[in-house]
Amino acid sequence: MATIKTSNRKTNITSAMIKNFFPKNSPGRFDWIFILPFICFACGYFLIAHFYGAKEIQTPALIGKPLQEAARELSSRNLNLRIVTEKPDAELAAGTIVSQTPAAGKHIKENQSVFIVISRTLPRPLAPNCINKPIEQLQKEIAGLQIKKYHLPNRYPKNYCFAQSPAAGAEITDRLILYISTGTNKPVIWPDFTHKPLTQVQAFLKNHDIEAHTIYPEEQQKSPELDALGQEILPVMQEQELIVSNQRPLAGSLLILEADKLPHVQLEVSAN
């Protein structure tokens, strides 16, 4: 019976404390009883978030860096990477970061995302068909392209393109290389005209559209006389045949015969 009395006494004391804290007929008496659990929950949430929540860090500077490098840097800081779009840029390498959100230095929490815009290269031009076309005609077609020309002997007419790299229709990654023909001219060994008749040598040179300047023994220091047609007048000599005694270029010289740059030939003659 003593235990029962003690229990009843404790119950009476607790009831008295509640009555004093929440007087009878108080409008907020039962409201506090319902609000108290929510207040406890909120306090617990903020305490847990403070001690165990995600930490705030500064957003790293990513602009100008390659995509792979930015991904490694964000991963080391427990941040996520999100690509928003690609922006064409002719000067930057593909995959270079041109903008970011949040900006560098802004505070961000771990496991959040950084949104970026990366560059992409412009479409590369296609190589035009340049083969079998004169270089004058190609000037408009290759305008604005990086060009490298090589002039080589070939069976194609002079100043015609006979090869190209890359091929027609392929993308130009660096520059367009054109191989331009210089004609079929090849180095020739200049013949030996000495001890041969002058008329025979002149006829040979004329067949190749080459004119020779003749020097006679008695008039080596005089300018040759020309007729009305501009032909050299041979001096009056005996009916003996004139023979080539010396020549320029020398026999055995390697020459390239070009239509617009023929060799200057001198023949020194003497009487047979």
Side-chain angles (χ1 to χ4, degrees):
M1 296 298 292
T3 303
I4 296 173
K5 289 181 180 181
T6 304
S7 177
N8 291 336
R9 183 181 179 183
K10 291 181 178 180
T11 302
N12 294 333
I13 294 172
T14 303
S15 300
M17 292 177 62
I18 294 174
K19 289 179 180 180
N20 292 331
F21 188 78
F22 296 108
K24 191 175 181 180
N25 300 325
S26 174
R29 178 178 180 180
F30 296 100
D31 293 343
W32 277 99
I33 296 176
F34 290 105
I35 293 175
L36 187 61
F38 295 99
I39 295 176
C40 295
F41 172 80
C43 292
Y45 174 82
F46 286 112
L47 288 174
I48 294 174
H50 177 74
F51 290 104
Y52 301 100
K55 299 180 181 179
E56 285 191 349
I57 58 176
Q58 285 188 340
T59 306
L62 304 177
I63 296 177
K65 295 182 178 180
L67 180 60
Q68 295 81 356
E69 180 180 344
R72 288 194 298 268
E73 185 170 353
L74 293 179
S75 178
S76 65
R77 301 182 184 222
N78 294 325
L79 296 175
N80 300 319
L81 178 65
R82 296 289 183 270
I83 299 176
V84 178
T85 185
E86 295 180 341
K87 182 179 179 181
D89 197 306
E91 298 180 357
L92 295 177
T96 302
I97 298 176
V98 296
S99 68
Q100 67 176 82
T101 303
K106 297 292 184 179
H107 289 283
I108 188 174
K109 292 183 178 181
E110 291 183 346
N111 299 320
Q112 288 188 336
S113 297
V114 177
F115 300 91
I116 63 172
V117 176
I118 62 174
S119 65
R120 64 179 177 88
T121 55
L122 295 174
R124 292 174 177 171
L126 301 181
N129 184 15
C130 302
I131 297 178
N132 200 25
K133 295 180 181 179
I135 191 63
E136 295 81 4
Q137 179 181 342
L138 292 175
Q139 294 300 331
K140 293 182 179 180
E141 298 184 30
I142 63 179
L145 300 177
Q146 295 290 332
I147 304 296
K148 179 67 176 180
K149 301 176 186 176
Y150 292 97
H151 296 266
L152 300 171
N154 192 267
R155 63 181 179 83
Y156 276 76
K158 188 176 181 179
N159 294 329
Y160 271 66
C161 177
F162 65 88
Q164 68 179 81
S165 179
E171 289 186 350
I172 302 176
T173 56
D174 182 20
R175 63 182 61 187
L176 178 62
I177 302 176
L178 301 179
Y179 297 88
I180 308 301
S181 173
T182 58
T184 55
N185 297 330
K186 296 181 180 180
V188 297
I189 300 176
W190 193 249
D192 185 4
F193 296 132
T194 57
H195 308 295
K196 292 184 173 56
L198 176 61
T199 54
Q200 179 181 343
V201 174
Q202 287 178 329
F204 174 83
L205 294 175
K206 188 176 182 180
N207 289 336
H208 294 84
D209 297 325
I210 299 175
E211 294 185 3
H213 174 63
T214 307
I215 301 177
Y216 301 96
E218 69 278 7
E219 296 184 359
Q220 291 185 6
Q221 305 301 325
K222 297 182 180 179
S223 299
E225 297 182 5
L226 303 179
D227 58 15
L229 299 178
Q231 302 293 329
E232 185 177 350
I233 301 176
L234 296 178
V236 178
M237 300 183 69
Q238 298 179 357
E239 295 182 357
Q240 300 161 332
E241 184 70 37
L242 296 176
I243 301 298
V244 177
S245 58
N246 200 358
Q247 68 179 68
R248 292 290 187 278
L250 296 176
S253 300
L254 284 175
L255 302 177
I256 296 179
L257 301 181
E258 298 180 0
D260 55 350
K261 192 178 181 181
L262 294 175
H264 179 67
V265 180
Q266 287 185 349
L267 299 176
E268 190 175 322
V269 297
S270 60
N272 188 7

